[in-house]
Amino acid sequence: MENQSNPLLNLEALPPFSAIRPEHVEPAIDRLLRNGRRRVDELLAQRQSFTWRNLVEPLEMLDDQINRTWAAVSHLNAVDNNEELRAGYNACLPKLSEYAADLGHNARLFRAYEEVYQAGGLDQAQRKLLENALRDFHLSGIDLPPEQKARFKEITQELSTLASEFEDNLLDSTHSWNKLIIDPAQLSGLPETAMDLLRQEAAQREQEGWLLTLEIPSYMPILTYADDRGLREELYRAYVTRASEQFPPGAQWDNSDRMERILALRHEMARLLGFGDHTELSLATKMAPTSEKVLEFLHDLARRSRPQAEREMAELKAFAREQGLEGSLEAWDVAYFSEKLRQHKHAVSQEELRPYFLERRVLRGLFGVIERLYGMQVTEVEGVDTWHPDVRFFEIRDDAGELRGQFYLDLFARRNKRGGAWMAECVNRMRTEDCGQLPVAFLVCNFSPPIGERPAQFTHTEVLTLFHEFGHGLHHLLTRIDYPAVAGINGVAWDAVELPSQLMENWCWEREALDLISGHWETGEAIPDDLFQRMRAAKNFQSGMQMVRQLEFALFDFRMHREYDPALGGRICEILEQVRQEVAVIRPPAFSRFAHGFSHIFAGGYASGYYSYKWAEVLSADAFSLFEERGSLDRETGLSFLHNILERGGSEDPMDLFVRFRGREPSIEPLLRHSGIASATA
Ligand code: ZN
């Protein structure tokens, strides 16, 4: 395909999404990688000594070209998935990982980087970028003998293909299941918004009735509200067995073998590089110092929160019995009776708050919070080419009117769109003598779409999700670091990267900020004080149970990788069971295959790293405690966070940045206090 006719090549401006076709993907990547290999050879053949300017800068620009194209492709693959695009995407994965592995094994390149590093005269960000690069050469196996290098390369390629297949199986099994309800009586208990959504789902497929799917906007309301216990069980069973041999529609998407293979390859890779196990390899790039420290941290939190989780579970069981539940409280009853108990104790439901969180109002308020804290202005830009009519585009400017970055916002759940919410990079900030570009982000959520003509209204949980992802967005967009590899979220240790996102969630619980983001959709009236008080009181409802659930995931992930033994295999179910015995208060049924859908650790970047959420939550709760001391929308504290954390990206050690903002090392107390968990000193 000709260079000029492929919109994925020479992405100087924003990607022309409407012109990108699946058949553009592979030729574009082929060409970029070919060009990349040639350019690296040229740069290394220079007859002068290597400098930042003649080596690192051009390589950063080269990387950036590939990243821009791949960012557009992987984004489309996630939000507008179809068979052809998926094939093109999957065909590129081994090529990209081969390219990365070849660079990582290029001894001349490694020595050239060392030369630049040793020559000195670098600023902080340049030094950190080179330190990371040299570290990554070691982690890519630069020190290995040739045949082990070849094996290492095979492993990385196979792992990237396995991750993609894992994700595809999950998506396909999710979409293979649905259930049409003809008699609305079967859906008794469901709020009107959920009913409308299910009817719309059916109508979109030209069916009469209410269509249940395994996507979150359908699954959650059923588990939370449906009075029909059998229906809840049916959906629960399908959901927790997706991509497994237990999945009711069939075992054709079973991830079991892939999961075993992924664990085996990760272990082999860690051993090749001289680590004891995969957790040690994972921690080589993280803030947490050792595997023992991580386990100690998780066990300590479990010890402190388990008693409260047990009390909450006992309360829930007693309540369910009072409500007439016969037999034991099963996994598919937990959300249902919890919601009833929440309403009983605090008289507040997600649905009661929904009319106050109109899409337009929430966005305007969110931007208002950003302005108060950081002096940033967000405005919408019309007429930008996107991948769906619902997608909107915004720019962000600072106090001085300087453009800092731009972002796409894709809020609603759709078919062919990956579930969950995330921020992804579209363009990275880069400034060199030859170029200057500002960051662009993708902000993607899966909220309940508007129903008919009625504007979209969010639940408070959805508002929290939006704030969370926007926190990642600010980290990416407001960076002042000029080299992509350490700008924004790049180069930030994974266990520190959730600090800005989790911090943002705190404002969704503060009156001052809430008044900016909410107002009744008909009257504009603020959330009444009594409702606000009930909502605050309900904030820590079952916080012990939520805490041990997160600890269950984190311990499962960490122990599974830590204890892997090639002679015994993954022992996935066995280790999960042991972890549950230690921390869990909800015991899922034997058919549950939770791990088969746990893409964070099998397909995402959280392998031996799920603990990062809790680790970073310690940081974010402690960071927010400074706002609590000085006023939740205090500009000076906001600017300190902006200058010391958000703008610095991955250019410095996260502990140094944190201490500069907070004035000391992080304390675990604010997290326990915010979660309403008494901090036992024992
Ligand atoms: Zn996050």
Side-chain angles (χ1 to χ4, degrees), residues 468-469 472 498 501 606 613:
H468 177 103
E469 297 311 330
H472 285 308
E498 296 292 331
S501 53
Y606 280 90
Y613 283 108

Side-chain angles (χ1 to χ4, degrees), residues 1 6 24 65 153 341 416 579 632 652:
M1 183 158 316
N6 190 330
H24 294 135
Q65 278 182 355
K153 199 167 138 182
L341 178 59
N416 306 322
V579 168
S632 79
E652 284 180 72

Side-chain angles (χ1 to χ4, degrees), residues 467-674:
F467 269 64
H468 177 103
E469 297 311 330
F470 207 76
H472 285 308
L474 291 175
H475 205 181
H476 176 62
L477 295 170
L478 299 181
T479 194
R480 284 293 200 184
I481 303 300
D482 294 334
Y483 320 111
V486 284
I489 63 168
N490 295 319
V492 179
W494 271 87
D495 46 359
V497 83
E498 296 292 331
L499 163 59
S501 53
Q502 297 187 144
L503 180 78
M504 280 299 291
E505 295 180 27
N506 288 286
W507 280 282
C508 301
W509 297 103
E510 295 292 320
R511 181 86 234 195
E512 223 182 335
L514 264 177
D515 283 344
L516 291 171
I517 60 176
S518 64
H520 195 277
W521 76 287
E522 282 166 325
T523 62
E525 181 200 349
I527 296 177
D529 207 48
D530 140 75
L531 179 55
F532 173 68
Q533 295 304 341
R534 283 184 285 136
M535 168 186 165
R536 284 281 304 204
K539 176 180 181 239
N540 287 326
F541 175 68
Q542 294 184 343
S543 62
M545 280 166 67
Q546 283 163 28
M547 177 75 87
V548 295
R549 187 157 168 77
Q550 286 299 310
L551 292 171
E552 175 187 327
F553 299 162
L555 276 167
F556 166 58
D557 162 49
F558 212 77
R559 283 191 49 190
M560 183 173 62
H561 288 99
R562 179 83 172 148
E563 294 166 28
Y564 185 83
D565 179 345
L568 299 173
R571 290 173 296 154
I572 296 169
C573 294
E574 191 185 321
I575 291 176
L576 183 56
E577 187 49 34
Q578 288 173 16
V579 168
R580 282 177 174 159
Q581 271 166 25
E582 181 195 344
V583 299
V585 294
I586 300 165
R587 305 304 293 273
F591 63 72
S592 166
R593 291 292 178 271
F594 157 76
H596 290 65
F598 198 3
S599 36
H600 275 80
I601 62 165
F602 285 105
Y606 280 90
S608 302
Y610 198 84
Y611 78 92
S612 299
Y613 283 108
K614 280 292 156 215
W615 188 274
E617 217 179 326
V618 170
L619 304 180
S620 66
D622 196 23
F624 191 69
S625 70
L626 193 61
F627 286 95
E628 290 177 313
E629 284 167 27
R630 298 187 179 163
S632 79
L633 290 173
D634 180 57
R635 171 69 67 89
E636 208 181 309
T637 312
L639 290 179
S640 167
F641 191 77
L642 173 69
H643 299 320
N644 289 311
I645 311 263
L646 292 177
E647 290 182 346
R648 308 309 305 162
S651 68
E652 284 180 72
D653 185 80
M655 185 61 98
D656 293 344
L657 294 178
F658 184 88
V659 170
R660 216 172 294 154
F661 169 70
R662 193 63 185 84
R664 56 163 175 72
E665 292 203 354
S667 152
I668 197 173
E669 297 303 323
L671 172 62
L672 295 170
R673 178 165 56 79
H674 289 166

Side-chain angles (χ1 to χ4, degrees), residues 93 155-169 255 257-263 265 602-603:
L93 286 175
I155 295 175
T156 51
Q157 282 177 297
E158 194 181 342
L159 276 175
S160 101
T161 305
L162 284 166
S164 173
E165 288 171 1
F166 182 97
E167 195 76 75
D168 290 346
N169 278 334
N255 272 331
D257 294 345
R258 278 180 196 86
M259 292 154 73
E260 279 293 335
R261 187 81 187 136
I262 287 169
L263 293 176
L265 289 172
F602 285 105

